[in-house]
């Protein structure tokens, strides 16, 4: 027997274990029932019902988007106010320091030099 | 041979009729054997064969002819086996119970040799194994294998050639000696 004949013999068809077809049919039947239930669960809403559900979902999405936008604007406003406050503070400190320097310079100019 | 060709032609054009149960009865041996010869694992072969038939059940309305069903079953079974082999990194699990009894005293087939050939086939890479199984289990010619696997005929021929070379090398000189 050559290799090809050996392969034909070794790989010839074999019967599946007993009860195979019955198990397949039982699974197919139970799968069909589950599938029907699944379709029923999805299709119990009528077309207007689906439209209303989609509309509600759209409103929800828009609302959530608006709230998020409002919150972001609030945060931006707070950040802007903090920056303005910091600039004001820095400006007053610089102004104070400038006055001190000027005073010190004037005082230094008024003192007579040692011989 | 001519009778077989006529039967195949008739089957190809025959519309899908009858029940799903009849289709399972008719093709269970083919689908289970494709899975068994590809995976060398009885439980896994049954699982794959069941999945293939359940997929057929879901798509039953889409088939136009018996030939279409048969080719579809072959294609899906082989592809599922390739997926399974890749997923689980199949190692051949061949028990003594899987070795066939000799069909008749004095028959040429040797159960131990068959088991050895099956193990060596199972050790081939998935793509080569599927071509070998379709060629020698289903007795398909390269054109039919190309159609089932959706690959060029040249690729089928080259895979068959490589497979036979690998099988000869793996089976060793004593088996090659027997093969001549």
């Amino acid at each position: 027997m050559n290799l090809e004949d050996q392969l034909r013999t070794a790989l010839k068809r074999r019967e599946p274990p007993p009860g195979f077809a019955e198990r397949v049919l039982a699974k197919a039947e139970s799968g069909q029932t589950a599938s029907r239930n699944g379709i029923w669960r999805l299709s119990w809403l009528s077309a207007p019902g689906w439209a209303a559900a989609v509309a509600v979902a759209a409103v929800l999405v828009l609302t959530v988007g608006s709230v998020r936008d409002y919150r972001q604007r609030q945060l931006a406003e707070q950040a802007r106010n903090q920056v303005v406050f910091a600039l004001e503070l820095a400006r007053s400190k610089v102004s104070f320091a400038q006055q001190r320097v000027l005073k010190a310079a004037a005082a230094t100019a008024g003192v007579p030099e040692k011989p | 041979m001519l009778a077989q060709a006529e039967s195949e032609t008739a089957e190809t054009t025959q519309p899908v009729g009858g029940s799903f149960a009849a289709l399972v009865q008719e093709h269970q041996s083919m689908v289970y054997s494709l899975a068994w010869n590809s995976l060398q694992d009885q439980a896994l072969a049954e699982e794959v064969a069941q999945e293939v038939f359940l997929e057929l059940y879901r798509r039953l309305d889409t088939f136009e002819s018996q030939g279409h069903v048969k080719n579809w079953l072959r294609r899906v079974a082989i592809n599922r086996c390739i997926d399974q082999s890749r997923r689980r990194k199949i190692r051949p699990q061949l028990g003594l119970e899987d070795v066939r009894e000799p069909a008749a005293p004095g028959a040429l087939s040797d159960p131990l040799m068959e088991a050895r050939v099956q193990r060596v086939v199972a050790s081939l890479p998935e793509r080569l194994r599927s071509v070998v199984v379709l060629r020698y289990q289903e007795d398909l010619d390269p054109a039919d294998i190309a159609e089932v696997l959706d690959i060029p005929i040249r690729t089928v021929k080259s895979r068959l050639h490589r497979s036979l070379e690998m099988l000869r090398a793996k089976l060793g000189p004593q088996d090659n000696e027997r093969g001549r």
Side-chain angles (χ1 to χ4, degrees), chain B residues 46-99:
Chain B
E46 175 161 355
E47 190 186 316
V48 167
Q50 282 190 5
E51 280 176 13
V52 171
F53 280 114
L54 291 175
E55 185 68 27
L56 170 72
Y57 184 70
R58 283 191 285 270
R59 295 164 172 253
L60 204 53
D61 297 338
T62 64
F63 293 98
E64 291 162 2
S65 66
Q66 289 281 357
H68 190 188
V69 170
K70 196 170 185 177
N71 264 348
W72 183 90
L73 284 170
R74 280 172 176 153
R75 180 182 302 128
V76 173
I78 283 292
N79 286 333
R80 293 274 170 114
C81 291
I82 291 174
D83 290 345
Q84 279 288 347
S85 299
R86 286 178 181 162
R87 207 177 302 150
R88 303 191 188 186
K89 288 285 163 204
I90 295 300
R91 294 281 175 275
Q93 294 177 4
L94 201 68
L96 275 177
E97 69 277 10
D98 295 317
V99 178

Side-chain angles (χ1 to χ4, degrees), chain A residues 1 3 6 9-10, chain B residues 99 108-120 171-172 174-176 178-179:
Chain A
M1 216 170 22
L3 178 59
Q6 282 180 328
T9 308
Chain B
V99 178
L108 281 174
S109 67
D110 169 359
L112 292 177
M113 186 60 203
E114 277 182 30
R116 187 163 145 70
V117 174
Q118 286 162 358
R119 274 200 302 273
V120 175
L171 283 168
Q174 61 191 27
D175 300 313
N176 283 337
R178 291 179 61 160

Side-chain angles (χ1 to χ4, degrees), chain A residues 1-4 6-17 20-21 23-25 27-28 32, chain B residues 20 28-30 32-33 37 46 49-50 54 57 100 113-114 118 121 136-138 168 171 178-179:
Chain A
M1 216 170 22
N2 64 26
L3 178 59
E4 292 199 305
Q6 282 180 328
L7 284 166
R8 280 192 188 93
T9 308
L11 301 179
K12 69 188 169 204
R13 283 188 187 179
R14 56 178 63 214
E15 288 304 315
F20 172 81
R23 287 192 288 279
V24 170
L25 295 175
K27 278 193 178 180
Q32 188 189 40
Chain B
F20 173 65
Q28 61 177 348
S29 164
M30 176 187 80
Y32 176 77
S33 301
N37 282 325
E46 175 161 355
Q50 282 190 5
L54 291 175
Y57 184 70
R100 288 193 193 96
M113 186 60 203
E114 277 182 30
Q118 286 162 358
V121 169
Y136 296 105
Q137 180 199 303
E138 290 301 299
R168 279 198 186 95
L171 283 168
R178 291 179 61 160

